Amino acid sequence: MLKNLLMICLMAAAIPATAQDSSRTKQLNLTSEQQTKLKDINQSFFKDAQQVRKDTTLSPADKKSKMQALSNAREAKVKSVLTPDQTAKWQQQHTAMKHKMADMHQKNMHRSDSTRGKKALASLKLSDDQTAKMQAIHKDFKSKVKAIRQDSTAAKQDQLAKLKALHQEKDAQVKSVLSADQYQQYQAMANEKGKHHKHGHHKGAKKDFNKDDKAADSTAK
């Protein structure tokens, strides 16, 4: 989470980071004086952010708090340099960049989880029939999770209840496909993976190897 916040803040700070950022600079119609001031603001932010990242005496929570404070302070300084019209355009660019970086981070996490999931399942030495059934279970699970998450009419508690029931349903299906030894190994690896994702999740949460399981677990909490 901290690495994600740092990356988003640093990338968003690049709008416009330098006078050479021609496309965004033209959109804001910055003066030479404004470009210089923004460049100084961003360089100071980058320097302070890197110091926070490298400070081994800070806890992850403290780093996150300091990064957020730096980002807020930088935003206030930027707004003091821009006109109201420029500020509105800058905020649009700033928000768009943050969303873009968040999406990129999420996709990278999904790819990483998917790769680890395939390796983990491969270690179970599934038969062709088991592999086909497990793939069908994951595909069906993914489709149902998507439907639940996209249902804007459902209350949050109802979504959580449905996701919890969906996980229980999937676990029962997986158990019916695997042998007793395979299922025991499957659970052991899921629990081990859960330890690596304990930050930001409640203890005892069921973790799986499929990227959609992880997303649903996060929502279900």
Side-chain angles (χ1 to χ4, degrees), residues 25-168:
T25 298
K26 288 180 179 179
Q27 290 177 22
L28 297 179
N29 194 27
L30 301 174
T31 64
S32 297
E33 182 181 4
Q34 286 178 316
Q35 291 178 25
T36 299
K37 288 182 178 180
L38 288 177
K39 182 178 180 180
D40 291 341
I41 291 171
N42 284 311
Q43 287 180 339
S44 176
F45 172 82
F46 282 124
K47 181 180 179 181
D48 292 341
Q50 290 297 341
Q51 289 179 342
V52 170
R53 184 179 68 84
K54 295 177 180 179
D55 190 344
T56 58
T57 66
L58 297 175
S59 67
D62 288 337
K63 286 187 177 182
K64 182 178 180 180
S65 177
K66 285 183 176 294
M67 277 301 307
Q68 191 61 61
L70 285 176
S71 182
N72 292 340
R74 172 189 168 271
E75 183 171 345
K77 291 177 182 178
V78 169
K79 289 180 179 179
S80 71
V81 172
L82 304 179
T83 65
D85 183 58
Q86 289 172 328
T87 297
K89 292 179 180 179
W90 175 81
Q91 286 181 316
Q92 290 179 347
Q93 294 176 350
H94 188 70
T95 300
M97 178 60 76
K98 287 199 293 185
H99 287 169
K100 181 178 180 180
M101 290 306 303
D103 289 342
M104 288 176 61
H105 176 76
Q106 192 67 24
K107 289 178 181 179
N108 289 335
M109 288 293 291
H110 283 177
R111 281 195 291 268
S112 179
D113 283 346
S114 180
T115 299
R116 284 195 298 269
K118 289 178 181 178
K119 291 181 178 179
L121 290 176
S123 67
L124 296 178
K125 298 180 180 179
L126 303 177
S127 66
D128 291 341
D129 181 59
Q130 285 178 315
T131 298
K133 289 180 179 179
M134 289 292 284
Q135 289 176 342
I137 291 173
H138 285 304
K139 183 177 181 180
D140 181 61
F141 177 82
K142 177 181 178 180
S143 176
K144 290 180 179 178
V145 167
K146 183 177 181 180
I148 292 173
R149 291 168 66 87
Q150 291 182 341
D151 185 2
S152 58
T153 64
K156 189 68 174 179
Q157 272 315 111
D158 291 338
Q159 287 186 327
L160 299 183
K162 289 180 180 179
L163 285 169
K164 182 178 180 180
L166 187 58
H167 274 281
Q168 294 174 340

